[in-house]
């Protein structure tokens, strides 16, 4: 199984915690200034009771999407086990940092033969049972002696009027007829791949095959239906946006699945498995150049339709399948997200790395001039690494806002939010905190 650095679902976000933001600098600089000051989040409050909604990533159904934070920093004297998953709930005024929960394996994971999982990783978010409360799909590490077919490590945490905190996950049920080989089922991706309006799940099987599970799902983790494994043009699955369901990229009413020739986090070619009435069966016509992440949008200008952008080493971008078109110099393995920051109708692109950057969308296509983004100062030497957690409209103004996780080593990190506006992303964060604030003492 794989581990992710961090992910985020869509959320409402309009709070200012300027006193906790500390000093920031453009990522292209290396000044010797005072370190970023660590601060605590406000005292925790109960999660508001919701009635159900259609908002993406809304676990308590109050109409305001929520934030998921994976790979939390462990407490200073913590164990080696996974410290859990942080949830920050939205409100009518945006993200409410006081309304938060910590999901831990001990409290929230399903046990296997009385064993508590050591790993607990957020993978994707969608409303699997269509009850108006978003659900969280996680992966764990159940005991396995290496003989025969391994157990299913994927678990489902169902949303409710009070959110996720009191939920106990259930194991995803993959019928034997839908499994193939003896590899761990992994890399769950959500999407309506058959176009019937119900979310489905795709999970890797052995070789270039997936277990395709048709939704909706029961509260016991069972799909509506599942047939024989489907062949796909690759061996690994990837979401087209962090934690988000797949999208219908060819506009035929069924979502499409991004398939890679190597696991996420490794350099690989990718291709679409196109959805249809029988699921993601057809291979897309284009093979995307080698890289670490691929995003989709109308990057080539008006009237050109949806095109791909693939980010390779040091943020070298291939646009529309043309290799190495734009050099961004973001450093290390890039992360990638697309969204309309200015609400001008042109999608923008953000790349994470040691020098994260924004490329603006224009009437003539994606700009080739990267704008360096500010990142928090963290203790220690060298450049910290910033991961793009999300680029979406968090505060309800129809402009995409950016969530970055900046980390140095295993002891210091900072989540910052840069809001979108008419002139682009804000220079100072609207929200800043460390994920260590979520960890249990």
């Amino acid at each position: 199984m794989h581990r992710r650095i961090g992910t985020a679902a869509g959320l409402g976000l309009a709070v200012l915690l300027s006193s906790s933001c500390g000093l920031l600098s453009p990522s292209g600089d290396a000044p010797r200034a005072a370190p970023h000051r660590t601060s605590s989040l406000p005292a925790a409050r109960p999660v508001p009771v919701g009635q159900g909604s259609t908002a993406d990533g809304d676990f308590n159904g109050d109409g305001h999407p929520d934030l998921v934070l994976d790979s939390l920093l462990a407490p200073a004297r913590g164990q080696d086990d996974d410290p859990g998953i942080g949830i920050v709930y939205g409100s009518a005024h945006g993200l409410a940092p006081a309304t938060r929960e910590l999901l831990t394996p001990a409290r929230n994971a399903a046990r296997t033969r009385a064993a508590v999982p050591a790993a607990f990783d957020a993978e994707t978010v969608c409303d699997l049972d269509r009850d108006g409360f978003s659900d969280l799909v996680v992966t764990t590490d159940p005991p396995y002696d290496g003989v025969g077919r391994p157990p299913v490590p994927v678990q489902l945490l169902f949303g409710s009027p009070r959110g996720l905190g009191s939920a106990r996950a259930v194991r995803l049920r993959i019928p034997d007829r839908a499994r193939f080989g003896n590899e761990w089922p992994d890399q769950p991706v959500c999407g309506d791949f058959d176009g019937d309006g119900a979310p489905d799940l795709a999970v890797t099987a052995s070789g270039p095959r997936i277990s395709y599970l048709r939704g909706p799902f029961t509260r016991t983790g069972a799909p509506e239906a599942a047939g024989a494994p489907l062949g796909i043009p690759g061996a690994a699955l990837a979401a087209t946006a962090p934690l988000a369901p797949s999208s219908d990229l060819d506009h035929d009413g069924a979502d499409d699945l991004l398939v890679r020739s190597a696991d996420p986090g490794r350099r690989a070619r990718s291709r679409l498995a196109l959805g249809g009435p029988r699921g993601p069966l057809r291979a897309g016509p284009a093979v995307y150049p080698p890289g670490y992440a691929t995003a989709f949008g109308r990057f080539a200008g008006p009237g050109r339709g949806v095109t791909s952008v693939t980010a390779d080493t040091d943020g070298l971008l291939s646009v529309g399948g043309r290799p190495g078109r734009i050099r961004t110099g973001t450093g290390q393995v890039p992360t990638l997200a697309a969204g309309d920051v200015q609400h001008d109708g042109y999608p923008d692109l953000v790349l994470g790395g040691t020098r994260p950057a924004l490329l603006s969308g224009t009437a003539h296509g994606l700009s080739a001039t990267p704008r360096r983004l500010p990142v928090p100062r963290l203790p220690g030497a060298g450049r910290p690494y910033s991961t793009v957690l999300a680029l979406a409209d968090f505060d309800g103004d129809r402009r995409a806002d950016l969530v970055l996780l900046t980390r140095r080593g295993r002891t210091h990190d900072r989540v910052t939010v840069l809001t979108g506006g008419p002139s682009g992303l804000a220079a100072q964060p609207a929200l800043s905190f460390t994920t260590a604030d979520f960890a249990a003492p």
Side-chain angles (χ1 to χ4, degrees), residues 17 20 38-44 69 87-88 95-100 414 431-439:
L17 296 181
S20 68
T38 301
S39 61
S40 299
L41 290 170
L69 292 168
I87 307 292
V88 180
L95 186 70
T99 310
R100 65 186 185 273
R414 207 78 187 170
L431 177 65
S432 175
F433 59 88
T434 171
T435 68
D437 290 335
F438 282 82

Side-chain angles (χ1 to χ4, degrees), residues 5 35 97 101 110 121 139-140 151 181 207 219 257 265 276 278 321 326 368 412 423 439:
I5 295 176
E101 292 178 321
D121 299 321
T139 51
T140 63
R219 283 297 183 109
L257 183 63
R278 294 187 296 156
I326 300 175
H412 299 284
S423 58

Side-chain angles (χ1 to χ4, degrees), residues 33-216:
H36 188 75
R37 182 171 63 86
T38 301
S39 61
S40 299
L41 290 170
R45 298 196 303 259
V47 175
V49 177
Q51 302 298 319
S53 80
T54 59
D56 293 334
D58 181 10
F59 300 116
N60 63 329
D62 65 352
H64 311 296
D66 310 313
L67 169 66
V68 178
L69 292 168
D70 204 6
S71 277
L72 306 179
L73 288 181
R77 294 181 296 277
Q79 305 296 319
D80 291 334
D81 290 351
D82 195 323
I85 300 167
I87 307 292
V88 180
Y89 288 87
S91 74
H93 303 288
L95 186 70
T99 310
R100 65 186 185 273
E101 292 178 321
L102 175 65
L103 311 178
T104 67
R107 289 196 298 261
N108 301 102
R111 302 188 178 196
T112 301
R113 296 195 297 272
V116 175
F120 202 49
D121 299 321
E123 300 287 353
T124 189
V125 174
C126 54
D127 188 359
L128 292 169
D129 56 355
R130 295 197 296 180
D131 65 349
F133 302 92
S134 294
D135 311 310
L136 181 63
V137 181
V138 301
T139 51
T140 63
D141 59 344
Y144 175 51
D145 60 9
V147 178
R149 181 168 285 175
V152 176
V154 182
Q155 298 188 6
L156 312 178
L157 274 163
F158 287 97
S160 74
R162 296 189 180 277
L164 293 174
S166 61
R168 175 72 72 171
V170 300
R171 287 182 289 272
L172 175 66
R173 297 188 179 187
I174 304 179
D176 286 342
R177 63 181 176 275
R179 297 193 65 176
F180 179 82
N182 289 331
E183 294 184 13
W184 289 94
D186 197 11
Q187 300 165 10
V189 177
C190 185
D192 181 11
F193 301 116
D194 57 6
D196 68 350
D200 312 311
L201 281 176
V203 182
T204 56
S206 297
R209 293 177 174 85
I210 60 168
S211 298
Y212 168 51
L213 311 175
R214 294 176 183 265

